[in-house]
Each structure stands twice: as C-alpha cells, then as structure tokens.
Amino acid sequence: MAEIAFHNVSKRYGEAIALSDASFTVNDNEFFCFFGPPLSGKSTILRLILGLETPDEGEILIGGKPVNQVSPAERNVAMVFQNLALFPHMSAADNIRFPLVERKVPTIQIERKLADVAAKLHIAHILHKAPAQLSGGERQRVAIARALVRDPAAYLMDDPISALDARLREETRVELKRIQRELGKTLIYVTHDQEEAMSVADRMAILEEGHIRQIGTPADIYDRPASSYVARLLGSPMMNILPSGLIADGAISIPGFGAKGDISEIGVRPEDIKVRPWSASDGGNPAKVFEVEPLGGYTVVTVDAGQTRIRALMRGQPDIRPETKVALACDTARVHYFSKAGAALPR
Ligand code: ADP
Ligand code: MG
C-alpha cells in the first residue's frame, strides 16, 4: 500500500517558508498533482517525500508508516527528475536497465521490463542510441522509462515534460495517464501548467507561496474554486473577475443578482458568458467588442464593458466583429462570488 500523507508539515530555509502547515493524503493508486506557480513549494513537497529534506514540523507517512527518520534509500519512492541526468556513456537501453542491474535483478526479468516499458513509451526504436544522439523529448522519455522499470511504492515526477514542445507534451501526458492506470501505482506529479494538471490528475492540490489552498478533483476545483486566487489559476482564458459594483451599471446582466452582503468581486468563466447584438430595448450601457480571436473550434471575444474588459469563449466562429455593440449575459447559477479577502462565498 502506497498511501502518502503529510500531517501539518512545515519546511523553512532560513527565513524563507517553503511549505507551511501542509496536510494531505494521496491515496494508493492515485494520480495526484501538485499545481502552483514557480516557487510555491511544489519541489519542496517532493524532496520531503523522497527524504532529501526533513520537515521542521509535522509528520510524513508512507504506506501508513512515519518516515521522518527513514533514509531516502529505504523509502522506496522513485523520482523522475526535472533535470534529467542520463549517463552519457551508456545507451538508452543501458540507462533504463541501470536501476535494475544495480539491484541485481535477473537478466531475463530486466529484458522483459525493458521491452515492456520501451513499448509503453514508444522508444523501442531508439534504445541503441546514446543520449547525445537523442532529441530533448526522447531523452525525457528515456528518463521516465528508467524510473518506471523499478517497482517502487510510488513515483514522483517534477514537471517531467515541461521541456517538450507543445504537441509532444499533449501526447506524453495522455500516455503518462494511461501508463499510471496500467501500472496501478501511486503517482505524484508536479506541474506549473494548469491544463496539464487538469488533464492528468485524479485529484490535485493548489499551492500558493507554500500554502495548500485547495484539494479536490480538477472538475470540482474548476467548478467550485475556494478563492479568487484558485479561480484565476485554472481555466484558459482565465475567469473574468469583476468588481461587483459593475453589474449595477448594466454592462453585464445577471438575472436575479441582488446586492449580497459581503460580495466584493464576482467571477464568471468565459464559457458562461453569452454575447449577443445590443438593441436599444436592452437599456443600460452597451458593451463594445474590442477584439475577436478565432481559434478554430472556438472563438475568444474580448469585450469592453464599462470600466472593464470581459472575455467570452464562444463555440465555433460566431459572426461578431470588433467595434460592434453587444449585450452580455450569464446564468446566475454560473456566477462565483468572492469576499474582499478573496474567499468564495455561497452561491
Ligand atoms: P517550486 O517547485 O514550486 O517552484 P520550491 O519548492 O522549489 O518551489 O521552492 C519553494 C520556496 O522555497 C521558494 O521560495 C524557494 O526559493 C525556497 N527554497 C527551495 N529550496 C531552497 C533551498 N535549498 N534553499 C533556500 N531556499 C529554498
Ligand atoms: Mg520546482
């Protein structure tokens, strides 16, 4: 069983707080993602799990056992490093064999594992090459393969595919997801790419400056962000977050929206905004289309509404032109409300 849990774990480097009072449980077999901007504490969490760092406070458990006093070698978790370091004098195949050779695994088993992982990562045709003969993407896959051949309690990956180009990244993340499901192993995955996090994670934790701000399934967090910070991090284009006062001047209409006590800002996802031509009977102040971005399957329409700019995501290629007057609307049920401090308020 490879459940991994933190109980109120904190880690400081001198004055800097890298992780503050973090508690979470990654379930056995789960694809769990840590997502946050640079320096939010993601790599620190992985180093703490590996045992490369010790917590200042709190307890870390692997498979239900406290490991604060357990050495990295005895923790049996495998890391795919951010900076992949393949042995330059060894072929890709020998790089992948290495962790098994080191553990004196019988040759027959090694070759079976190698063939298996090479097929899964589509690298069978490059196994004979030296790292210098491989592209960045191929090196990355070989490094992933080397981690996969071991049989650890859990795999850790620190932004493993960020060096790949966009297309290969999309392909590889789908593969990783499938591989994780087939292996039936716990995978803890760090990324600073929201789309990647949403696409791979069974559940994810959102980090801000060493604090875990929310834990849940991607769909849950997307639909019910706990704060405007989290709301802004997920989704592209980003959620529109507007001062609540703006609704009063008629630039955007939300049926049934009344002044609710503590609301400071409202949030509406671009896909929840409806854009239609303005007519005099709409009253209020018309909004004006600022720019239209046709992206093929959908179109981003940026609209100037009162003091603010709102982005709407529309299906297909609607017939909307810059400079035209439009009315914006959205479902009350799709609106998010935030307090002055940024906390989500009940809808
Ligand atoms: P992320 O992986 O999300 O980019 P890190 O976990 O690497 O973030 O860093 C979190 C914070 O801890 C940052 O403010 C970083 O500067 C600090 N930090 C991390 N490692 C060290 C270290 N070895 N010495 C000093 N500060 C560190
Ligand atoms: Mg990092």
Side-chain angles (χ1 to χ4, degrees):
M1 214 207 36
E3 182 187 285
I4 294 179
F6 276 34
H7 294 162
N8 307 101
V9 172
S10 296
K11 177 68 190 169
R12 286 178 294 273
Y13 294 101
E15 297 288 284
I17 298 171
L19 192 65
S20 183
D21 198 22
S23 295
F24 60 83
T25 300
V26 176
N27 299 318
D28 195 22
N29 277 355
E30 194 168 35
F31 201 138
F32 193 95
C33 207
F34 287 96
F35 166 64
L39 306 182
S40 55
K42 306 183 295 296
S43 296
T44 298
I45 290 175
L46 296 193
R47 286 198 301 270
L48 285 163
I49 296 170
L50 282 166
L52 302 180
E53 305 282 1
T54 41
D56 294 314
E57 283 138 38
E59 192 167 52
I60 299 174
L61 298 102
I62 298 179
K65 289 194 209 80
V67 294
N68 285 30
Q69 310 302 326
V70 176
S71 74
E74 289 166 300
R75 291 192 186 191
N76 195 27
V77 283
M79 176 79 158
V80 180
F81 283 95
Q82 203 159 15
N83 300 315
L84 49 121
L86 297 175
F87 299 113
H89 58 284
M90 287 185 189
S91 67
D94 282 340
N95 266 281
I96 298 168
R97 287 185 187 110
F98 182 79
L100 301 179
V101 172
E102 215 185 9
R103 284 171 182 74
K104 305 204 179 0
V105 174
T107 308
I108 289 182
Q109 272 183 43
I110 293 180
E111 294 311 305
R112 201 185 305 135
K113 281 253 176 195
L114 174 64
D116 189 40
V117 77
K120 277 181 181 146
L121 285 168
H122 306 299
I123 51 173
H125 60 295
I126 55 163
L127 286 179
H128 62 285
K129 292 189 179 179
Q133 297 172 287
L134 303 174
S135 71
E138 289 170 338
R139 277 201 292 274
Q140 197 74 272
R141 281 155 182 249
V142 172
I144 291 170
R146 188 177 55 185
L148 293 181
V149 288
R150 281 182 52 190
D151 199 26
Y155 298 108
L156 310 185
M157 297 192 178
D158 196 340
D159 232 340
I161 60 176
S162 61
L164 309 188
D165 70 54
R167 212 169 276 277
L168 197 50
R169 225 165 41 229
E170 281 178 21
E171 233 177 76
T172 310
R173 76 186 187 206
V174 173
E175 275 173 31
L176 279 174
K177 201 172 161 151
R178 183 179 53 82
I179 289 165
Q180 186 271 342
R181 202 167 38 231
E182 280 176 12
L183 293 172
K185 283 284 165 91
T186 306
L187 174 56
I188 300 186
Y189 191 95
V190 159
T191 176
H192 66 283
D193 178 333
Q194 59 97 14
E195 190 183 293
E196 193 173 301
M198 302 259 312
S199 107
V200 296
D202 293 324
R203 285 191 309 144
M204 61 202 276
I206 313 276
L207 282 159
E208 178 188 16
E209 295 180 349
H211 295 269
I212 293 180
R213 294 304 189 197
Q214 193 168 0
I215 299 178
T217 65
D220 257 356
I221 300 180
Y222 187 82
D223 282 341
R224 283 176 288 279
S227 64
S228 58
Y229 170 82
V230 172
R232 273 179 234 263
L233 279 188
L234 295 190
S236 175
M238 194 178 92
M239 182 188 282
N240 297 288
I241 297 186
L242 322 163
S244 59
L246 226 134
I247 296 163
D249 81 0
I252 179 167
S253 75
I254 301 175
F257 179 84
K260 290 201 203 183
D262 192 27
I263 297 172
S264 165
E265 289 177 314
I266 64 153
V268 187
R269 295 246 178 238
E271 64 270 31
D272 293 328
I273 302 231
K274 293 179 191 72
V275 183
R276 59 173 175 77
W278 183 82
S279 75
S281 64
D282 283 323
N285 302 312
K288 197 159 84 175
V289 176
F290 173 71
E291 204 41 271
V292 178
E293 300 166 77
L295 300 175
Y298 52 91
T299 299
V300 180
V301 182
T302 304
V303 174
D304 280 326
Q307 303 301 309
T308 195
R309 204 156 262 182
I310 294 175
R311 297 221 272 177
L313 188 64
M314 303 178 73
R315 219 178 260 277
Q317 291 150 15
D319 185 21
I320 291 178
R321 282 164 222 286
E323 302 297 325
T324 51
K325 290 176 181 178
V326 290
L328 304 180
C330 77
D331 238 346
T332 321
R334 305 300 304 166
V335 180
H336 303 259
Y337 304 102
F338 301 107
S339 73
K340 206 161 186 176
L345 301 166
R347 296 203 202 167

